Amino acid sequence: MFLLIAFSYVAFAQKKGDDGKKVAEPFKKGSVVKNYRGYMKASNFAKAKDEMDGAMKKFDVARKDPQLYKFKVDALNGLVAAENKKIYLKQNPDTVKYFNYMYELYQTGLKCDTVERAANQEKVAEGKKAENKYGTSVAGIMMPYRKSIYAAGKYFYRKKEYAKAYQYIDLYVNTKTAPVFKDKNGEVKVDDPDDLTEASVLAVLSAYGSSNYKGVMAHLPESLNDKDKECQFLELGSKAAAEMKDTTEMVNLLENGFFLYPETEYFFVTLTKYYNDRGDFEKALATVQKMTEKNPGNRDYWFMCGKEQMLLGKYKDALVSFEKCVEIKADDAESFSAIGNIYLHDAHEKYRNFNLPITHPAYAEEKAEITELYKKSCDAFEQSKKFDEQHTELWLLELRELYFKLNRGKSLKALDKYK
């Protein structure tokens, strides 16, 4: 008897058609709805929700039925109300569960509206009249929870659970103009306060805190309307764009940041490095020169300016920049070394082009000019050695060459103790 009963059950569950293939179990909406209503009547909202979830998971037709989403919204509304009652009566409330139910309610309500709109489009295409049976009702259930959705985002943000915080704040911002909250004239019906910028600021911070760089970029434009935080968010945005390998947007944000907040070191340093890495020394120089204009007493900016000018072969301009450095900082060994290198470069260039015969009237004058350049270079390197004898890479090799060419044997011999 047991084997017979078991066989009959399996055969029913796996009934085959005439072609021998398994026949899909039909969706019995009436039975599902009956079970759902029984659970709702008994205030067993969790089971009622499970009934809808099970049907939608199993049957494609159920996933396209807006009524079932409306039923699920009602079940979730019951779960939210039950948790809210616990919070009010202080009966072991579960705040996280309360927020989670609300989040799912919102997602289900949005899905209900989307599915109903899709169904209405099909009806219109078939020449039938569109009906809005559930959208208005769902919106009415969702609306009172808007403040709580935002509060949930703040709650998780304070707990430093940034991924969860972003989840709620993003939902709050994105549903400000959701179709479900629009009337037949397309007007938004939400009565949120004027907090879009404030919410976007929290969304960006939460997204960045959870390494959600796409989320940062999604809410960045609105967050920049907070002028008190604009500098900070331009920086966060450029970093997020860099993480996403969006070089165009990264540079755009860096340039905007530098233009608006040139005193912020991050924009200047990052932008200059980017230009130099690309070999775009003209743009790098223009960036540095803007800093020397705003901070004429800053030695570091003048030094960088000189380096950029040397990279562009503008040695005369670079000499002026490095001389400005030693004017600001008299014991600047690095700048004296750079000055020495410029004079040495000029001497090498002049010597390379020096091809006059000894009998030429200008021979002595040309040779004297080269010697003078060697002397100026030597003086600069000796100053560099004087102010930083420890770092021999600034002056040692160059002084050996110069002492040799200037026929200063005693000074050249004295360099033997350096390695």
Side-chain angles (χ1 to χ4, degrees), residues 1 59 69 74 81 104 121 200 280 306 318 326 358 382 386-387:
M1 285 290 292
F59 300 103
Y69 287 101
D74 289 337
E104 191 175 359
Q121 286 180 347
S200 297
D280 196 344
V326 297
I358 196 170
E382 285 180 335
K386 174 184 175 182
F387 295 124

Side-chain angles (χ1 to χ4, degrees), residues 117 132 136 179 181-187 189:
R117 288 175 187 275
N132 186 14
T136 302
F181 291 130
K182 293 181 179 179
D183 60 22
K184 60 182 179 181
N185 298 318
E187 296 293 325
K189 297 182 291 184

Side-chain angles (χ1 to χ4, degrees), residues 197-211:
T197 298
E198 172 195 292
S200 297
V201 163
L202 276 178
V204 169
L205 291 173
S206 299
Y208 194 82
S210 56
S211 300

